[in-house]
Amino acid sequence: MISTGSSYAAKVDTLEVASSAMNKTYKAAVVLPNSYAKSKTTFPVMYLLHGAYGHFGDWLKNTPNKDLVKDLADQYNLIIVMPEGETFSFYIDSPVNAGSQFETFITKEVIQKIDKTYRTIANKNGRVITGLSMGGHGALYLSARHPDLFCAAGSMSGAVDMGVMLNRDSAAQVIKLIEPVFGDKSTDPEMYAQHAVLNMIDKIKANKLPLIIDCGIDDFLIEPNKEMHRRLVYNKVEHDYTERPGAHTWEYWENALPYHVLFFNKILLKNQEVAKK
């Protein structure tokens, strides 16, 4: 049941996750559906990643409808986890910065913590991942590299080729933030291409994970998303791809997220039915 008004049924936890990989403790927001407290069953989990310049609480405070994530958790009986990804990690293990190891953090530390803390379906058949912008890249990147952890993945306005960000007016600011994670491009000109999910089509094809990808037609990242779509089509990789009106805004992502959850729900329900047999 979807909650309305200022009261909502879903519960929000702020969980501290210790990272031995980075020798730090980060926070994750966890939304538990109303049905969680009323049952003893296990629940599927959606990992929802934030974008660049953002933090773990973004999806709860920046959407025009502040109850969006809570409503979706209730509607689909889904645990939704929003982990910290720092401002410019791109959810990779940095080759130059031991303090930015977010691939390891998400795949080995956050997931483990969530499965130990809550009643989850603690295998890939009950776990999906998506995100916006940098988080869209992260969701596709992590699922491509760890197909044993997720049964489906998505991307909203994904920064699938981070090099595109260097062609904007804010390029100087981007370089200042991205070099501590990726290294100096002058000494390693291929550093972006090596980590860009746009260049991981072969791996994505081999994994055969269901994918949902969308981008607004007025988004500055629309061209790399179009190219991602073209490469997937050329390589006969099944995926759900949508372009719709909108830019790189929270209004767009608020509209996009319910499509992702609906897409994932069909897969998760099917997996649950198979598990019962």
Side-chain angles (χ1 to χ4, degrees), residues 1-248:
M1 182 178 70
I2 301 179
S3 61
T4 58
S6 59
S7 63
Y8 46 81
K11 177 182 179 234
V12 181
D13 287 347
T14 300
L15 192 67
E16 292 195 344
V17 184
S19 172
S20 57
M22 294 183 281
N23 196 29
K24 300 176 187 174
T25 297
Y26 284 109
K27 292 180 179 179
V30 181
V31 175
L32 301 172
N34 180 50
S35 55
Y36 184 86
K38 298 178 178 180
S39 74
K40 303 291 186 183
T41 62
T42 55
F43 285 73
V45 182
M46 179 176 74
Y47 287 84
L48 181 58
L49 307 182
H50 67 76
Y53 309 102
H55 291 288
F56 75 97
D58 285 6
W59 275 103
L60 294 174
K61 65 184 182 183
N62 290 341
T63 51
N65 172 13
K66 299 300 183 286
D67 291 342
L68 173 68
V69 175
K70 307 177 195 94
D71 288 346
L72 290 170
D74 277 346
Q75 183 180 0
Y76 291 98
N77 295 308
L78 181 68
I79 297 173
I80 301 177
V81 178
M82 292 151 283
E84 180 62 55
E86 283 288 9
T87 57
F88 243 72
S89 73
F90 277 87
Y91 301 95
I92 71 166
D93 280 350
S94 168
V96 298
N97 185 350
S100 187
Q101 303 292 301
F102 281 89
E103 177 181 358
T104 294
F105 179 60
I106 301 295
T107 61
K108 294 185 178 178
E109 297 174 330
V110 174
I111 289 176
Q112 183 183 60
K113 178 73 171 182
I114 294 298
D115 287 344
K116 283 185 175 180
T117 306
Y118 302 101
R119 296 192 315 275
T120 65
I121 299 173
N123 60 63
K124 69 170 288 179
N125 292 327
R127 197 182 292 126
V128 297
I129 187 168
T130 190
L132 69 89
S133 194
M134 179 182 82
H137 174 274
L140 296 178
Y141 181 85
L142 296 175
S143 63
R145 289 174 55 83
H146 301 273
D148 56 314
L149 294 180
F150 307 100
C151 65
S155 169
M156 292 165 266
S157 313
V160 295
D161 177 7
M162 59 283 291
V164 169
M165 301 177 74
L166 300 178
N167 299 324
R168 305 189 75 211
D169 294 339
S170 58
Q173 181 183 11
V174 170
I175 290 171
K176 184 178 180 180
L177 291 168
I178 207 168
E179 284 191 345
V181 176
F182 287 84
D184 187 344
K185 189 176 182 182
S186 64
T187 60
D188 185 4
E190 296 299 315
M191 65 176 181
Y192 300 128
Q194 290 168 0
H195 290 94
V197 75
L198 183 63
N199 297 322
M200 298 171 65
I201 304 300
D202 288 347
K203 191 178 289 288
I204 291 171
K205 182 176 182 178
N207 294 339
K208 298 180 179 178
L209 290 185
L211 301 177
I212 178 169
I213 299 169
D214 65 72
C215 192
I217 57 175
D218 297 317
D219 197 304
F220 75 98
L221 294 173
I222 186 63
E223 288 307 320
N225 277 273
K226 285 177 180 284
E227 180 60 22
M228 182 94 185
H229 173 53
R230 282 192 288 263
R231 293 186 187 186
L232 290 170
V233 170
Y234 181 81
N235 286 277
K236 297 181 173 58
V237 179
E238 290 189 14
H239 63 292
D240 187 308
Y241 177 76
T242 304
E243 293 175 17
R244 61 175 70 92
H248 211 71

